Amino acid sequence: MKGDYRVGCCRQFCALVKRSIICTFREPSVFAAKLVQHIVLGFVVGSVFYKLPYDVEGAVSLSGCLMMSVSIVVFLPTYACIT
């Protein structure tokens, strides 16, 4: 039994992105707080990993930087759900 309501993945993704943008800009104070949070975290991570040496220790530090960046991108949006 197939339903008449079938929507593709791309259309669902576009609807979710549109809804997320509307919710983000609906509350300017939350948008400003998130923007400041992202900028500060960018400066902190950038200053910690600025001018890495071109050796094995630098490569290990770079992999740590990439791991930290990925974890920030993944987990930062969930902080709004926790608080």
Side-chain angles (χ1 to χ4, degrees), residues 7-57:
V7 179
C9 292
C10 183
R11 190 165 177 151
Q12 288 180 10
F13 179 74
C14 290
L16 288 174
V17 168
K18 183 179 176 183
R19 184 184 311 167
S20 175
I21 289 171
I22 289 171
C23 288
T24 299
F25 288 115
R26 188 173 287 166
E27 298 181 28
S29 61
V30 174
F31 174 70
K34 285 183 180 181
L35 185 65
V36 168
Q37 184 179 23
H38 281 81
I39 290 171
V40 168
L41 276 171
F43 278 122
V44 168
V45 172
S47 66
V48 168
F49 296 105
Y50 183 66
K51 289 190 177 180
L52 291 174
Y54 293 114
D55 58 356
V56 175
E57 291 179 12

Side-chain angles (χ1 to χ4, degrees), residues 78-83:
T78 61
Y79 293 149
C81 298
I82 294 171
T83 57

